[in-house]
């Protein structure tokens, strides 16, 4: 999957997940190696076929120091990831299809869920 900046520039990743009311809640902050490992998974997501629902449950927000770079909202049901933010070129500011059944996608989802349980 396309990342708008080299993930090595990202220093901190905020993980947002469901709070039970339909709103997003900050569930974890990943820094250093943990942030890099998650972004390596995102960068390795294989292309897939986008379905229609796009109801994202998980989001990550990437920061470099104190600067917000980009956000990715994931819908693992419809295989869509919405990319947006100040570091995102206009042509990439859209929903990207990924294969949510792939092992890389399943590992990313497992990390997101684990973050939401801590």
């Amino acid at each position: 999957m396309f990342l708008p900046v080299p993930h090595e520039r990202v220093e901190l990743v905020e993980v947002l997940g469901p709070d039970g009311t339909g709103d997003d809640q900050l569930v974890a902050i990943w820094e250093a190696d943990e942030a890099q490992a998650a972004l390596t998974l995102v960068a390795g997501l294989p292309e897939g076929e986008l379905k229609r629902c796009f109801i994202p449950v998980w989001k990550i927000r990437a920061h470099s120091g104190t600067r917000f770079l980009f956000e990715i909202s994931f819908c693992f049901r419809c295989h869509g990831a919405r990319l947006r933010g100040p570091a995102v070129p206009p042509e990439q500011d859209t929903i990207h299809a990924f294969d949510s059944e792939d092992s890389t996608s399943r590992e990313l989802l497992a990390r997101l869920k684990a973050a939401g349980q801590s």
Side-chain angles (χ1 to χ4, degrees):
M1 170 180 226
F2 174 84
L3 289 176
V5 297
H7 60 80
E8 293 81 14
R9 287 185 43 203
V10 175
E11 297 175 24
L12 177 136
V13 172
E14 296 175 309
V15 180
L16 291 93
D19 72 351
T21 68
D23 293 329
D24 296 332
Q25 173 182 317
L26 179 65
V27 296
I29 294 177
W30 294 337
E31 298 180 271
D33 291 343
E34 192 172 25
Q36 290 302 312
L39 291 173
T40 297
L41 287 173
V42 172
L45 293 175
E47 289 186 29
E49 184 178 331
L50 186 62
K51 306 234 184 325
R52 296 193 119 167
C53 70
F54 198 69
I55 304 169
V57 175
W58 297 99
K59 295 180 184 178
I60 60 170
R61 291 187 182 142
H63 300 266
S64 174
T66 58
R67 183 170 174 249
F68 168 63
L69 297 171
F70 61 89
E71 173 181 282
I72 305 173
S73 304
F74 296 96
C75 180
F76 286 87
R77 287 191 306 171
C78 75
H79 309 257
R82 172 76 161 92
L83 181 61
R84 63 179 143 205
V88 178
E91 66 274 9
Q92 295 296 326
D93 189 344
T94 188
I95 298 174
H96 300 264
F98 70 99
D99 180 358
S100 66
E101 301 300 321
D102 180 77
S103 61
T104 303
S105 301
R106 289 193 313 266
E107 184 176 344
L108 176 63
L109 180 57
R111 286 180 187 228
L112 293 169
K113 286 180 176 180
Q117 295 173 356
S118 359

